[in-house]
Amino acid sequence: MRDHHFQKNGVFCEAQNASPSVVRYQTVCTEVEGDAQNYFTYGLQCLGGWQGTWVQLDVIEDVSPRREDVLCLATKFNMLNLSPIHFRDAVLDSVNG
């Protein structure tokens, strides 16, 4: 994508690219209050990098109670350079597969 220039109040501004230059996936941990006791669940977040800053693009907090399963997904998505557009479908396919 190219940067676009536009004029706002007589001043030229530069709009940044709409898509990140780098995407990565990492695990997140959430504590859930259960009836008898609290437990932890693991999920994935999709991060986009723009000019040295990471921004959360999407997150699915409850993928699995097994940390190792979610770590494997994050590693797989990073190795494949999975597009953020396919993030939710890929997680759903992995959980249901």
Side-chain angles (χ1 to χ4, degrees):
M1 278 189 165
R2 293 181 345 167
D3 289 341
H4 299 283
H5 300 300
F6 61 95
Q7 189 171 357
K8 182 177 181 181
N9 298 329
V11 177
F12 280 98
C13 301
E14 188 174 321
Q16 298 298 318
N17 288 336
S19 60
S21 58
V22 180
V23 175
R24 76 175 183 197
Y25 298 90
Q26 66 183 33
T27 59
V28 293
C29 180
T30 305
E31 186 173 7
V32 179
E33 293 184 25
D35 292 334
Q37 64 182 1
N38 293 355
Y39 63 95
F40 292 97
T41 185
Y42 299 90
L44 282 171
Q45 65 179 347
C46 173
L47 301 170
W50 281 276
Q51 300 175 347
T53 301
W54 291 100
V55 177
Q56 186 181 68
L57 302 175
D58 200 356
V59 64
I60 303 173
E61 292 183 346
D62 188 3
V63 174
S64 173
R66 294 176 36 94
R67 182 174 78 96
E68 296 78 19
D69 293 345
V70 181
L71 283 170
C72 286
L73 271 183
T75 300
K76 183 177 182 180
F77 292 174
N78 286 322
M79 287 177 54
L80 295 171
N81 293 317
L82 181 71
S83 169
I85 295 170
H86 303 294
F87 172 57
R88 289 189 167 265
D89 286 335
V91 171
L92 186 60
D93 289 348
S94 298
V95 170
N96 290 331

